[in-house]
Amino acid sequence: MDNKNLAQKAISLLDLTDLTDTCDDAAIEALCKRARTFYGNTAAVCVWPRFVAKARECLKGTTIRVATVVNFPHGGEDLFVTLAETELALADGADEIDLVIPYHAFMEGRRGFAETMVERVRAAVPAPTKLKTILETGELKDPALIRAAADMAIDAGADFIKTSTGKVAVNATPEAAEIMMEAIAESGKAVGFKPAGGVRTLDDAGTYLAIAAKYMGSDWATPETFRFGASGVLDALLAEIKGETAKAGEGY
């Protein structure tokens, strides 16, 4: 696949994201406008829960999905608050829920607690709404712990496993992606993968798509099975398609 086709494919797999502290209605309007490009729409926009209804309004008449985050970004342990966030987001029209697992509890050996949260949120998220679980692999660090978290999330019913919040020092890495894709392949389940945080260039996108192809085949990555969580990469992808000087994007 040449670079222009790779860039266009990556756009179709993008969760265009604004999870900044300064986000407001005007920023959501701009985000939703950016999601509709001359070269195709992004798969989704990912926004704070309080902006789900606004994003839904802005994207009316398109196939772009609205994703939001719960238990974000710290992966807390209040199950009832997380369920309330989820239910409100669904009522406002969210198509996808990105749940941060309580990774501190998981690291401390309370893996059953983390599993229970995923299972309870899964039960609150009816199909076809997607549940994407954020493992925060840059904090888990240990490959064995990353694999255990991936296996847990898959077994608990996640539709996707996602590397990161984009809010910690180390976010998506190829090493974590390898571990997570291997877990998906070995599970035999229809589970997707989402690298998030630090995906800023076409080369970054190509690296993660190559890892997915290694485990699942070159045709596996579609919007139903693979997403990039990013805000800054879109400009670089568009520049590649238009033959302009590509700049590494900034942000999530």
Side-chain angles (χ1 to χ4, degrees), residues 163-208:
T163 59
S164 322
T165 60
K167 300 290 188 180
V168 294
V170 177
N171 292 289
T173 65
E175 293 77 14
E178 290 269 0
I179 295 166
M180 294 168 69
M181 282 303 312
E182 183 177 63
I184 290 169
E186 292 182 356
S187 75
K189 296 182 178 180
V191 176
F193 172 64
K194 179 177 173 179
V199 182
R200 296 189 173 94
T201 68
L202 180 64
D203 285 345
D204 291 337
T207 294
Y208 290 109

Side-chain angles (χ1 to χ4, degrees), residues 210-231:
I211 292 170
K214 171 183 172 182
Y215 288 94
M216 303 299 290
S218 59
D219 296 330
W220 179 77
T222 72
E224 290 301 307
T225 59
F226 189 101
R227 301 287 181 82
F228 295 107
S231 59

Side-chain angles (χ1 to χ4, degrees), residues 97-216:
I97 301 293
D98 288 27
L99 163 72
V100 185
I101 71 165
Y103 60 90
H104 295 289
F106 197 86
M107 292 164 65
E108 293 165 3
R110 292 182 288 129
R111 301 185 182 187
F113 178 84
E115 183 175 28
T116 295
M117 180 175 283
V118 177
E119 290 174 340
R120 291 288 300 276
V121 175
R122 168 77 279 173
V125 177
T129 306
K130 300 287 188 186
L131 174 61
K132 309 206 287 287
T133 50
I134 304 172
L135 307 187
E136 202 68 289
T137 55
E139 294 295 291
L140 295 179
K141 298 178 182 177
D142 177 25
L145 204 55
I146 294 171
R147 176 58 192 259
D151 289 340
M152 178 277 293
I154 291 169
D155 290 344
D159 294 306
F160 274 73
I161 52 175
K162 173 179 171 182
T163 59
S164 322
T165 60
K167 300 290 188 180
V168 294
V170 177
N171 292 289
T173 65
E175 293 77 14
E178 290 269 0
I179 295 166
M180 294 168 69
M181 282 303 312
E182 183 177 63
I184 290 169
E186 292 182 356
S187 75
K189 296 182 178 180
V191 176
F193 172 64
K194 179 177 173 179
V199 182
R200 296 189 173 94
T201 68
L202 180 64
D203 285 345
D204 291 337
T207 294
Y208 290 109
L209 285 170
I211 292 170
K214 171 183 172 182
Y215 288 94
M216 303 299 290

Side-chain angles (χ1 to χ4, degrees), residues 71 76-84 113 116-118 120-121:
N71 205 31
E77 298 185 18
D78 195 324
L79 173 61
F80 297 105
V81 167
T82 302
L83 287 170
F113 178 84
T116 295
M117 180 175 283
V118 177
R120 291 288 300 276
V121 175

Side-chain angles (χ1 to χ4, degrees), residues 1-2 4 20 44 48 50 113 130 159 185 190 202 212 215 223 249:
M1 186 181 298
D2 64 29
K4 288 187 177 181
T20 59
W48 292 108
R50 64 185 178 275
F113 178 84
K130 300 287 188 186
D159 294 306
L202 180 64
Y215 288 94

